[in-house]
Amino acid sequence: MQVAPSLFNQIIDLLIPLRCIKCGLILEKSQGLCAACWSKIPFITKPYCACCGLPFDFQIEEEVLCGACSHNRPFYKSARSVFIYTSDSKDLILSFKHLDRTHTAPLFASWMSRIVDDIKNPLCIPVPLHWTRLFMRTYNQAGLLAQEIAKHKGWTYAPFLLIRKRRTPSQGHLSKKERIKNMERAFAVPKNKQETLLNQTILLVDDVFTTGATLNACAKTLLKAGAKEVHTITLGRVIKG
């Protein structure tokens, strides 16, 4: 038997209606995207590279690697993303990252949680910010996503197992080769945390996969410190044309 919404909830919905997180249109039932905005977001579906998650434009056998991963396998075992980073989807991430729209983290995490069902009980670790950048921004968007994913899946949130020991320059206009060099020795596992990491499966969380340089550097550091394997999940994925 369905229970009618309480009067209090009806009043709240009237005063503070749920809105589309992209265009602001009032929604009837739950937080998310309106039908028009949903159709504009290029959600990633199979087929894609079994390692880095790069979507293929044609049907292909599962467990196939893209050319880049076949040539030089990343340190992470898998990388998955919710949608392609485009002019229509990027404002979801930028407003979350730079405009303090942190209330969208649970929704984004629910989308991300659906594509990591094959990972068994990992430690959820966010890509860390350097403390100076965290001080200026006041929150780590990757940390909010990792925390919500852990809550959604019943996994362990472990934000202090990986640190950024060196403040790296912004990577916005760097090439892939420059990004790799930029990430060298940028991350570390504190010595007093290495025992916790030993033989553990890791889910590494970030907001955007651009070239994979940051995620790969983090995965390399975690494996070197004793992790069993590293999987990664991001909200957006940049696809080079």
Side-chain angles (χ1 to χ4, degrees), residues 31-50:
Q31 182 190 30
L33 295 166
C34 67
C37 288
W38 180 274
S39 67
K40 295 177 183 177
I41 305 301
F43 290 97
I44 295 174
T45 58
K46 292 182 177 180
Y48 44 67
C49 173

Side-chain angles (χ1 to χ4, degrees), residues 49 51-52 64-74 176 180:
C49 173
C51 180
C52 78
V64 172
L65 299 180
C66 68
C69 290
S70 297
H71 177 69
N72 188 16
R73 190 74 182 247
K176 183 173 182 178
I180 292 171

Side-chain angles (χ1 to χ4, degrees), residues 212-233:
T214 299
L215 294 169
N216 206 38
C218 289
K220 180 180 180 180
T221 301
L222 291 164
L223 291 171
K224 187 176 180 181
K228 179 183 177 183
E229 60 185 28
V230 178
H231 300 267
T232 77
I233 179 75

Side-chain angles (χ1 to χ4, degrees), residues 161-177:
L161 295 187
L162 184 67
I163 61 171
R164 190 181 293 244
K165 63 179 183 179
R166 181 170 63 83
R167 178 165 181 169
T168 51
S170 173
Q171 302 201 121
H173 302 289
L174 298 183
S175 67
K176 183 173 182 178
K177 186 177 290 186

Side-chain angles (χ1 to χ4, degrees), residues 48-62:
Y48 44 67
C49 173
C51 180
C52 78
L54 177 72
F56 295 128
D57 294 328
F58 47 85
Q59 289 299 320
I60 197 168
E61 295 178 10
E62 292 204 21

Side-chain angles (χ1 to χ4, degrees), residues 43-147:
F43 290 97
I44 295 174
T45 58
K46 292 182 177 180
Y48 44 67
C49 173
C51 180
C52 78
L54 177 72
F56 295 128
D57 294 328
F58 47 85
Q59 289 299 320
I60 197 168
E61 295 178 10
E62 292 204 21
E63 303 305 315
V64 172
L65 299 180
C66 68
C69 290
S70 297
H71 177 69
N72 188 16
R73 190 74 182 247
F75 287 100
Y76 51 77
K77 188 172 182 179
S78 71
R80 299 290 180 261
S81 303
V82 176
F83 52 70
I84 298 172
Y85 189 88
T86 64
S87 57
D88 283 315
S89 65
K90 69 179 183 180
D91 58 326
L92 297 179
I93 295 176
L94 295 179
S95 60
F96 168 59
K97 186 173 181 176
H98 298 298
L99 300 180
D100 295 340
R101 296 187 64 180
T102 56
H103 64 281
T104 56
L107 174 66
F108 293 154
S110 71
W111 293 350
M112 298 166 84
S113 296
R114 294 171 192 163
I115 53 177
V116 291
D117 283 339
D118 55 337
I119 304 172
K120 304 303 180 186
N121 197 32
L123 298 177
C124 293
I125 299 179
V127 170
L129 293 175
H130 190 265
W131 71 266
T132 55
R133 189 157 288 154
L134 181 60
F135 178 79
M136 292 172 63
R137 192 177 292 172
T138 71
Y139 65 93
N140 179 2
Q141 70 280 357
L144 296 180
L145 293 172
Q147 187 174 28

Side-chain angles (χ1 to χ4, degrees), residues 140-194:
N140 179 2
Q141 70 280 357
L144 296 180
L145 293 172
Q147 187 174 28
E148 291 296 334
I149 291 171
K151 188 187 302 182
H152 189 83
K153 303 290 285 186
W155 293 339
T156 300
Y157 174 53
F160 304 114
L161 295 187
L162 184 67
I163 61 171
R164 190 181 293 244
K165 63 179 183 179
R166 181 170 63 83
R167 178 165 181 169
T168 51
S170 173
Q171 302 201 121
H173 302 289
L174 298 183
S175 67
K176 183 173 182 178
K177 186 177 290 186
E178 290 169 335
R179 285 169 181 260
I180 292 171
K181 185 173 179 59
N182 193 35
M183 288 295 109
E184 287 180 359
R185 296 181 295 280
F187 302 99
V189 174
K191 288 185 178 180
N192 64 342
K193 302 293 184 182
Q194 290 183 5

